[in-house]
Structure formats: structure tokens, C-alpha cells
Amino acid sequence: MNNWPLALGISLLLSVVLTGCRDQRAVHPPAAKSAAAKKVGPSRRVPKALLHYCRTVATPVSGSTKTSTAEQLPAVPPVLYDDPTLPAADRRLRALEALDNLKARLEKSPRDAQLHHQLGVIFRDFMEHPEAALGHFCRALIEAPQIDDYRLATLNQLTLPGQETKLELALRPGDRTLPWRLALAEIRQLVNASDHERGDAFSLVVRAQRMLRTARSLNRRRIRGRAINLVRILEDWAGSELEALRVAIAFPRRHRARVRSLRDRSQSFTGTYAAPGPANRWMVLAENNDARGAIITAKRLLSRLDVGVSAIAGHRQIYVIGRFGPDGFTPRYLAMDPHNPKFELQLVVSPATETEK
């Protein structure tokens, strides 16, 4: 019997499986926020603690020659879930065929980050083998740390249920005393969120927790503040480091119901989240090009509450306590490191204004 049609069909199937395409499960922002970036966020540096942990669990490879940066390709997951009408047995068969082919290709290119990422997806989604998935995701991250998809896949794998012990080891030692478990529980309740968004959200929240803990230790003093446009003031303060701006707005935990709507990612600004913070506080947070979303959201949801606004730009940090109101944000306490008299003048009521009154 002539089997060439069957062989041709299997060859074409493997070609489609291994060529792949990007996961299109993107979260579409509401029409009012169409200007927001559609990707998870700007490229971020891989935390050193995460890389250090990955080196202990990454799939071992032979040889010392690394793939050059120019040859490192973005993640391309295998097309194994594009046809939900296929029976589970057929989808698993596709996965097994792709697994064998990818392993054969790895023998020739053991440090190919894209191949390791594809294997991680298969082990995660079809083999139910989280340890193998993490090993391959970590290997992809080590080989191509500048590609966001590999960082996000690793973070997402570590935030899955049952991975808490591993996740703790991947945190900075100082961050392990933060309420990161509470933050993780909140991140798991996000809806309309992609897997990558959940992993990225966790790393953002831990950084915000760390920032608030530092801010609360700064010496603050009472000021006579005036109503200001906090978005404009902070962006001016950040200056040339605007793209590195981080903002976290803390408020009493008892008011957390006010920000529950942020769990629905289809109704939230890109990159703006709400989560537990240190010292029995909650916070609204965002970074980089999304930072203004945290301020706009806090103004809308936390009006007339006493809040603490922490911001970092490069090596500078400020902490302002005050309230959002109809006329803007009115500060009452201020802490800075280092002190910036020009910034302080933008917050306080000038003597001339008091005299005019």
C-alpha cells in the first residue's frame, strides 16, 4: 500500500506545528483607552534574583557556545491549541510529534532559546509537566534575557498554584519579607488577563511593595500644600527618566473594595493594578509609560481619602501624603531623597498667594 499521502500529511502538520505563531489572546482595552499600549508593557530588565534562580533549575545544555544576540529570535509557541474542535487525543498526538521533532533539533542547536520556549509551552499545556516546562522556560531566558516573552513565560510558570516555594526562591532575599503571597492571591483573581500579563503584574506589584516600604521609612514633614495636577508635577519631576518612572499610591486596606474593578483587565488602564501593600495597606500602581494610569485611576476611585503617593525615577524618590479632590491633589506631608527645593515649591502655597487671600 502506498503511504506517501500520509507521510506528506504528517510532514505538513509538523511544519505548521513548529513554525507556530504568537498567542493572540490579547486583552483589548475599552474604547476610551484605545491609546494605551496593547502589549504587556515596555521591555524590562530581568531581575538578577530570577536569573540566579533559573541557573539552578534550567534544562542543562552541552557546549559553551552561546547563540549570538543577532540570532536570538522572539518566542513562537507551537500551534497546538488553534483548533479547539479537535479531540483531546489528536491534540496530544500533535504535541508528542512536535516534542520529538523539537528535541531532535535541540541536539543540533542546544542553546536555541526559541526551541526551549516551544518545549516549555508543550510541557506546560499538554504534558502537565510543570518542572520540565520551568526548566525550558528558564533556559530560554538565560540564553536570550533581552526578549520579554521568555521573562514573562518564566514568571507566569512560577506564579501558578503549587509553585510558591520556587517563586520565593526566585525573589530577592529582601523581598521575601514583603506580603508577596497576598499579592499573588490577588493577581490570580484577575479576569480577562493573558498568562503573560499575570506574570508581569506580579513582578510589578513586588517592586511597588518594596518601594512603599522604603518610602515609609523616609523622614517626612508637614507642608502647606496647594491643589496640583499630580500627573504633570510627577512627569516634570521625572524629566529625562520619565520612562523609568514608578508610581504606587497607598491607602487603608478597609477601602480595598473601591479598587476591585481593576481585577477586570478589559476595564483597566494598561499596566495599572491594585494589590495588597506593606503595613496593612493597599495600593494602586503602574510603571514607565503606564505610570499616569495609576494616578488617573486613584483620582477616580480614591477621591477624598488620605493616600500616600510614592514615586521613583532613577535614584530619586519622593513620598507625598494628601488627598485627591475636584481641584486636583492636595499634599499635606512630603518626604524626598534627595531633597529638591524646586519640586517642593511646586507643591506649596506661596506667600504671595496667601497674602492675596
Side-chain angles (χ1 to χ4, degrees), residues 4-296:
W4 74 264
L6 177 59
L8 178 61
I10 292 176
S11 177
L12 290 174
L13 175 61
L14 284 175
S15 176
V16 172
V17 168
L18 296 174
T19 300
C21 67
R22 288 191 180 279
D23 190 349
Q24 299 299 318
R25 294 175 292 176
V27 178
H28 299 288
K33 299 160 188 170
S34 58
K38 292 183 180 180
K39 60 182 181 177
V40 170
S43 180
R44 308 184 199 280
R45 295 179 62 182
V46 179
K48 292 181 180 179
L50 178 60
L51 271 178
H52 177 75
Y53 174 73
C54 268
R55 292 188 182 99
T56 68
V57 299
T59 301
V61 294
S62 59
S64 58
T65 303
K66 298 190 70 172
T67 305
S68 69
T69 302
E71 296 175 342
Q72 291 169 349
L73 300 175
V76 180
V79 186
L80 301 174
Y81 39 72
D82 282 357
D83 189 355
T85 62
L86 286 176
D90 289 347
R91 297 179 77 202
R92 185 173 178 84
L93 176 61
R94 286 189 177 191
L96 289 170
E97 291 171 342
L99 196 65
D100 290 340
N101 193 288
L102 288 168
K103 287 181 176 180
R105 292 175 63 184
L106 271 182
E107 291 181 2
K108 298 179 180 179
S109 304
R111 292 183 176 274
D112 189 317
Q114 191 179 82
L115 297 180
H116 282 288
H117 177 80
Q118 291 181 348
L119 281 167
V121 172
I122 294 174
F123 279 116
R124 180 191 67 195
D125 295 346
F126 298 94
M127 300 292 106
E128 297 182 0
H129 197 330
E131 290 79 12
L134 179 61
H136 284 289
F137 286 145
C138 273
R139 175 52 60 188
L141 179 63
I142 290 171
E143 300 301 329
Q146 80 283 4
I147 296 179
D148 264 357
D149 283 341
Y150 302 149
R151 174 181 62 87
L152 295 173
T154 304
L155 283 170
N156 176 63
Q157 187 65 29
L158 287 168
T159 56
L160 294 177
Q163 303 296 304
E164 290 82 2
T165 300
K166 297 176 183 178
L167 177 58
E168 185 173 16
L169 292 174
L171 295 175
R172 290 171 33 159
D175 291 347
R176 295 169 191 170
T177 59
L178 292 168
W180 62 268
R181 290 179 183 272
L182 296 177
L184 180 60
E186 179 64 22
I187 294 303
R188 286 173 176 168
Q189 297 190 63
L190 296 179
V191 296
N192 295 317
S194 67
D195 290 341
H196 279 186
E197 190 174 12
R198 293 176 192 276
D200 198 46
F202 177 77
S203 63
L204 292 177
V205 170
V206 171
R207 280 198 294 272
Q209 289 181 340
R210 182 197 315 150
M211 181 170 65
L212 278 178
R213 180 173 62 184
T214 302
R216 289 174 62 85
S217 67
L218 298 177
N219 291 325
R220 57 182 181 268
R221 55 192 178 82
R222 181 107 189 200
I223 62 173
R224 182 175 173 79
R226 59 187 179 88
I228 59 172
N229 181 331
L230 190 57
V231 171
R232 181 180 62 80
I233 293 290
L234 288 183
E235 289 183 345
D236 287 348
W237 170 76
S240 62
E241 295 176 303
L242 179 60
E243 292 188 357
L245 178 64
R246 301 180 190 173
V247 174
I249 302 167
F251 59 96
R253 179 178 179 273
R254 64 181 179 276
H255 297 293
R256 65 189 182 280
R258 290 196 182 196
V259 298
R260 192 159 292 160
S261 60
L262 296 188
R263 289 178 178 174
D264 186 349
R265 301 313 303 158
S266 66
Q267 301 299 318
S268 306
F269 282 104
T270 302
T272 298
Y273 300 94
N280 203 32
R281 309 280 283 181
W282 266 61
M283 56 187 181
V284 174
L285 60 121
E287 289 187 7
N288 308 122
N289 298 328
D290 303 320
R292 64 168 50 203
I295 301 171
I296 296 171

